Amino acid sequence: MKRRVVVTGTGSISALGNCMKELIDSIERQVCGTKQMETWNQYKGLQSLVGAPAELPDIKIIPRKMRRSMGRMSLLAVFAVNEALESAGLEKNEITNERYGCVAGSTMGSAEALNDTFEIMLPDHDLTLLTSMSFFQCISHTVSMNIAQYLGITGSVIATSAACASSLQAIGTGFDLIRNNTQDIVLCGGSEELHPTVTGSFDILFATSTKFNETPKKTPRPFDKNRDGLVCGEGAGIIVLEELEHAKKRGANILAEVVGYNTCGSGTHISQPDRQAMIQCMKAALADAGIKPENIDFVSAHATATLQGDHEEAAAIYEVFGSQTPVNSLKGYLGHTLGASGAIELAVAIEMMNNSIIYPTLNLTDIDEGCSMIKHVKTKLKKNINFILKNCFAFGGINASIICKKYEEINE
Amino acid sequence: MSNKIELMINEVFQESFEIEKNQLKPEANIFEDLGLDSLDVVDLVVALQNKFKVEIRTDERIKEIRTLKDLCIFIKELQSEGSS
């Protein structure tokens, strides 16, 4: 029999603050984190001049020798880790045990470090001015590596790199590591940093929001008929997963139980979203959880406000859940935090479940006809929630869905 | 001249390695007293190249440097070689 896995801690940093409380308070107040990025107009061809930047706290609280290998995304991750550990009631030096691991993802290494490396190297094709730390900040597993070094982790250390699905894959991987008895505690999540080259990679594909450069608070607009693309955000989210008995033994505060997960490929196109694959992913997660679609009380959508993506996801959600299950997207608050989005948004969704509240999709004024078949949350909704499903769909045709259940000790 | 070199070297240690000024004594061992490791030495070389506009990455004499005083002598030698 597989072991049960619970969430015992959450931590986040984003455009909406440096902790879960600030994040939830901002969502409660309907704050949009999007801002004009004033220096980005120096980039020829960049149409989207908006982003949702985070503010890093004092990084000197991280010892220099640990900090030197951290690009911005790893620094962001460390602050989310610190909060997640505190939330889980774990000391930093308490998780240096071969049964305690870390799985964290990002789209790629630090964009800022990659940019700086090429700017130093390319003008004269000169390698002699590169520091020893360029490599460690640029590599694809920079976030998980730095978290592991920061905490002295000796269990599994894994990096999931699947763009916008990175952190949900990280949580799913951690779930598997614990339920299959490889680990007892796994810090899971992801991190991403805002950089013009990151926004640019979506911009050249015409996937970014470009019509709201002068009115940034009005974008992104998930499911709205006037949506015009995604807004890149930045931040980090960390979820502490733990084996149920291990958590109970140490008297941990249990926030939720993870009960189902699936990740799959669409196998059809590297950028076009595919509703059939989304349907397959959500149905497989439901089967993994051993529950029916009608058991799900709330879907936290991926919905980034791209024209095709929102439409395909709405159609896929309708196919699986019909028109009565409430659906929201958090992208209107946070922007698209890419590899961090799954973890940050799942942490928020767990808060919503425990508080019996579903926050509305910000900037959803006029529901697009092509997305109208599902039940959108347009104003704060009070509802008893026992099961939530969180989606992340990434470029490359990579899908991930995870299901969490409310944990009630009385029923155990 | 040597005092200026010493000041510039100290700046590198303060800026790149966050070493407190009061620890920067000529006899301080850069590994044992100032806490640098092999990766820091790579970055020390880059920082010194930038500071003094010299190329020292492949200079074998770097391997012998232990103290700030050794470093100061090394830079002085480089500068006199450059001007001769």
Side-chain angles (χ1 to χ4, degrees):
Chain A
M1 186 179 161
K2 286 191 173 176
R3 307 190 316 159
R4 291 172 64 184
V5 182
V6 291
V7 175
T8 53
T10 56
S12 75
I13 178 166
S14 69
L16 299 183
N18 298 340
C19 63
M20 287 302 299
K21 188 181 180 304
E22 286 180 23
L23 172 56
I24 299 294
D25 286 352
S26 299
I27 292 172
E28 177 81 39
R29 290 184 288 113
Q30 306 274 287
V31 177
C32 171
T34 310
K35 290 178 180 165
Q36 271 184 328
M37 302 305 290
E38 285 166 10
T39 59
W40 285 13
N41 56 11
Q42 65 181 302
Y43 287 83
K44 190 178 165 188
L46 185 62
Q47 302 293 312
S48 180
L49 303 178
V50 288
E55 205 171 304
L56 266 177
D58 181 12
I59 59 172
K60 293 209 169 171
I61 65 158
I62 308 166
R64 181 190 72 84
K65 275 204 177 152
M66 289 174 176
R67 188 183 354 117
R68 63 184 175 171
S69 56
M70 296 177 182
R72 185 172 172 85
M73 58 170 49
S74 299
L75 294 167
L76 289 165
V78 162
F79 287 99
V81 162
N82 285 344
E83 188 195 5
L85 286 180
E86 194 182 337
S87 153
L90 289 164
E91 294 293 330
K92 186 171 168 281
N93 58 6
E94 213 181 326
I95 51 171
T96 53
N97 171 322
E98 64 186 19
R99 298 285 298 178
Y100 302 161
C102 155
V103 187
S106 58
T107 300
M108 56 186 195
S110 164
E112 191 175 52
L114 282 158
N115 188 80
D116 291 351
T117 298
F118 289 123
E119 282 201 9
I120 291 168
M121 184 177 67
L122 287 181
D124 300 311
H125 294 91
D126 182 0
L127 296 167
T128 63
L129 292 176
L130 290 178
T131 70
S132 65
M133 290 303 140
S134 305
F135 169 75
F136 295 101
Q137 295 179 8
C138 292
I139 48 181
S140 299
H141 70 302
T142 189
V143 175
S144 62
M145 173 199 84
N146 275 306
I147 293 173
Q149 292 294 326
Y150 175 67
L151 297 175
I153 282 178
T154 57
S156 301
V157 179
I158 298 173
T160 49
S161 183
C164 316
S166 300
S167 59
L168 214 56
Q169 279 196 339
I171 296 163
T173 304
F175 176 46
D176 286 340
L177 285 170
I178 295 172
R179 64 175 164 170
N180 293 327
N181 202 8
T182 303
Q183 300 281 275
D184 293 326
I185 292 180
V186 185
L187 270 70
C188 304
S191 189
E192 208 76 66
E193 62 189 51
L194 184 63
H195 195 270
T197 58
V198 175
T199 296
S201 64
F202 293 98
D203 204 79
I204 56 173
L205 302 175
F206 302 102
T208 52
S209 173
T210 60
K211 294 177 188 159
F212 298 91
N213 289 340
E214 301 303 319
T215 51
K217 299 295 175 201
K218 292 186 175 175
T219 190
R221 309 178 65 82
F223 300 122
D224 190 86
K225 75 172 184 187
N226 292 317
R227 72 190 184 280
D228 69 334
L230 62 85
V231 172
C232 286
E234 69 175 349
I238 296 291
I239 305 265
V240 180
L241 294 186
E242 189 165 355
E243 192 274 323
L244 175 62
E245 295 307 320
H246 190 281
K248 281 162 80 171
K249 202 170 162 186
R250 66 179 189 89
N253 180 31
I254 296 173
L255 302 173
E257 180 173 0
V258 184
V259 291
Y261 168 65
N262 185 259
T263 183
C264 68
S266 72
T268 51
H269 196 276
I270 53 166
S271 65
Q272 282 173 12
D274 180 281
R275 80 178 68 172
Q276 290 308 324
M278 294 172 175
I279 291 166
Q280 176 192 324
C281 191
M282 288 186 275
K283 283 186 171 175
L286 288 165
D288 188 35
I291 59 170
K292 296 190 167 100
E294 52 266 35
N295 294 124
I296 295 290
D297 300 300
F298 158 55
V299 175
S300 174
H302 181 61
T304 65
T306 62
L307 298 182
Q308 277 184 313
D310 287 12
H311 179 252
E312 286 297 298
E313 186 174 8
I317 290 169
Y318 175 71
E319 174 73 21
V320 179
F321 298 102
S323 59
Q324 294 309 308
T325 305
V327 178
N328 87 351
S329 164
L330 293 169
K331 300 295 192 293
Y333 302 92
L334 291 158
H336 188 1
T337 56
L338 308 175
S341 65
I344 297 175
E345 294 174 15
L346 182 65
V348 174
I350 289 170
E351 284 268 342
M352 288 195 247
M353 177 163 66
N354 290 335
N355 295 329
S356 305
I357 287 172
I358 304 175
Y359 292 111
T361 299
L362 192 62
N363 287 328
L364 176 55
T365 311
D366 298 310
I367 298 168
D368 181 14
E369 206 175 311
C371 304
S372 63
M373 64 292 262
I374 54 173
K375 184 175 180 177
H376 292 283
V377 181
K378 289 187 74 182
T379 53
K380 193 164 90 173
L381 183 67
K382 287 287 284 177
K383 180 180 162 76
N384 186 37
I385 304 168
N386 289 308
F387 287 96
I388 54 173
L389 179 139
K390 169 84 203 115
N391 283 332
C392 280
F393 303 127
F395 271 174
I398 299 170
N399 311 295
S401 297
I402 208 154
I403 297 170
C404 289
K405 181 187 174 192
K406 186 183 273 178
Y407 181 80
E408 287 172 303
E409 209 166 352
I410 199 161
N411 297 328
E412 299 305 314
Chain B
M1 185 62 186
S2 137
N3 195 30
K4 192 183 173 197
I5 292 173
E6 201 178 307
L7 282 174
M8 287 169 77
I9 289 173
N10 286 356
E11 277 171 14
V12 165
F13 279 82
Q14 286 175 274
E15 289 160 5
S16 299
F17 304 105
E18 299 172 15
I19 312 278
E20 296 292 333
K21 202 173 176 181
N22 60 13
Q23 288 182 267
L24 297 171
K25 294 172 181 151
E27 65 277 14
N29 184 299
I30 62 172
F31 301 104
E32 288 155 22
D33 299 324
L34 304 183
L36 272 63
D37 64 13
S38 58
L39 289 170
D40 285 328
V41 171
V42 176
D43 294 352
L44 175 62
V45 166
V46 172
L48 291 170
Q49 290 188 150
N50 280 327
K51 197 80 167 176
F52 294 98
K53 305 299 170 206
V54 290
E55 280 192 36
I56 53 174
R57 207 174 177 106
T58 53
D59 196 315
E60 288 291 318
R61 286 173 289 183
I62 293 168
K63 292 178 184 165
E64 307 302 321
I65 290 167
R66 291 290 175 276
T67 64
L68 289 178
K69 191 178 168 188
D70 294 344
L71 198 51
C72 193
I73 293 167
F74 171 59
I75 297 289
K76 237 164 105 178
E77 279 174 16
L78 279 174
Q79 290 187 335
S80 61
E81 285 164 20
S83 60
S84 62

